[in-house]
Amino acid sequence: MRAVLYRELGSIDNLALEQVPLPRVKEDWLRIETHAAGLSFSASLYIEGRYQRQLPLPYTPGTEVAGIVHAVGPGVDRVAVGDRVMASVDWGGQAGYCLAHQLCTHKMPAQMPFAEAAMMVNSYATSYAGLVWKGGLVAGECVLVHSAAGAIGLAAVEIAKALGATVIATASSAERLALAEAHGADHLINYSEGDFAAEVKALTNGRGADLIFDSVGGDVARRSLRCLAIEGRLLTIGYTSGDIPELPSNIFMVKNAALIGLNIGTYLGWSPGGNREGYSRKIFEIHDRLRELYEAGKLRPAVSLYDGLEQFLPAIKALMNRQVLGKAVIEVGDADRA
């Protein structure tokens, strides 16, 4: 099979596309014949050596895949050979085949394309966990979603709307805002123009947003405090701006508000101290709920497709330059699995 391979970290240009052996299954693990592999901003941090997680070398990126179960190890009982599945993988997704732990593997809805599943498995699960599990979202609340045309932001727009919230979406261009609107956003704000906090206050009659979903960080997070409602929640899930903000605790005290963090990797066994066995039931519940919403037609994953593993470098560069709408997904072909 072919795989995207990094023999040293530091630059995304260090990539090689090489023939490598099929990965061998072990107890509780399975091998997936990859048909679609997602790309996320964190991939660039891994490759550049700036992520908190230590990586093995040579390293194949990719933590979200969809495909067909090719082989199973001892103890695997959640899926069987031939099943169509989506999985959160430790690494190695950008290859013809990859390994996944059975607790991070989920059967796909029958009508779901592989490319959509590659977005659903991590992006939608992260957004649902943030909004509902951590953020306590209830119907009737106002949710402010930053970077609403990215994979996680767009998923948050759809989920919040499906659960009965009023959704205010921010993005950096008219094209990106149009995508958010097409996926359910009630109000649109270009945060590169003017004062988004003032616009949110105006839209909510001065009250502000009950829940703010922030994957940008930096000045966007700092300015968000101005439009956080009394007893509101600011959810921080990432820092695509590259700026990790220091937020004044007195604002949260005065507003009786909460700052909530989510690192989904903790529950998938990726992060130090992570425990996939301990939280697997919660992750299963999240995927069950997402399946219900998808089958009800309330979730419509938006993907930007790239054909074949040789498109990895153009895809990740487009992602880093914020040129991708929705989720960047590489469709892995027969040549990559040969």
Side-chain angles (χ1 to χ4, degrees), residues 87-296:
S88 302
V89 301
D90 285 1
W91 52 77
Q94 299 292 334
Y97 297 82
C98 67
L99 295 180
H101 194 282
Q102 69 164 336
L103 294 180
C104 297
T105 304
H106 312 275
K107 293 182 181 178
M108 293 166 49
Q111 72 275 31
M112 180 180 283
F114 288 118
E116 291 187 4
M119 180 178 181
M120 181 70 69
V121 68
N122 278 5
S123 297
Y124 277 85
T126 298
S127 296
Y128 191 95
L131 290 169
V132 181
W133 180 15
K134 298 295 185 180
L137 175 65
V138 296
E141 289 192 308
C142 176
V143 179
L144 172 61
V145 179
H146 290 308
S147 192
I152 291 177
L154 199 61
V157 168
E158 287 196 336
I159 292 167
K161 189 64 180 176
L163 298 181
T166 296
V167 180
I168 302 174
T170 73
S172 59
S173 71
E175 180 185 25
R176 301 178 79 80
L177 288 172
L179 181 64
E181 183 177 34
H183 285 259
D186 297 287
H187 306 286
L188 310 172
I189 299 174
N190 188 327
Y191 57 35
S192 66
E193 301 174 352
D195 184 351
F196 75 78
E199 292 190 56
V200 171
K201 294 293 286 289
L203 287 168
T204 57
N205 297 315
R207 186 174 186 278
D210 299 295
L211 179 58
I212 299 178
F213 186 95
D214 176 38
S215 60
V216 181
D219 191 51
V220 168
R222 288 185 283 267
R223 291 159 60 194
S224 291
L225 295 183
R226 294 176 42 225
C227 59
L228 182 64
I230 299 297
E231 297 189 332
R233 294 90 71 201
L234 173 59
L235 178 72
T236 176
I237 63 166
Y239 311 100
T240 58
S241 67
D243 178 357
I244 300 175
E246 295 183 4
L247 301 177
S249 59
N250 66 305
I251 300 297
F252 294 95
M253 183 273 290
V254 168
K255 292 191 173 189
N256 292 290
L259 173 63
I260 304 169
L262 171 65
N263 171 19
I264 196 69
T266 300
Y267 311 113
L268 299 175
W270 295 347
S271 300
N275 183 357
R276 60 168 59 103
E277 288 79 10
Y279 287 95
S280 59
R281 179 171 296 179
K282 177 62 74 172
I283 297 297
F284 296 165
E285 290 173 359
I286 288 171
H287 277 280
D288 286 344
R289 184 61 176 134
L290 290 173
R291 177 186 294 270
E292 292 172 3
L293 292 172
Y294 181 87
E295 291 179 340

Side-chain angles (χ1 to χ4, degrees), residues 12 24 35 49 66-67 76 80 137 180 198 201 232 239 251 318 332:
I12 60 171
R24 298 180 62 182
H35 285 249
V76 173
L137 175 65
K201 294 293 286 289
Y239 311 100
I251 300 297
V332 180

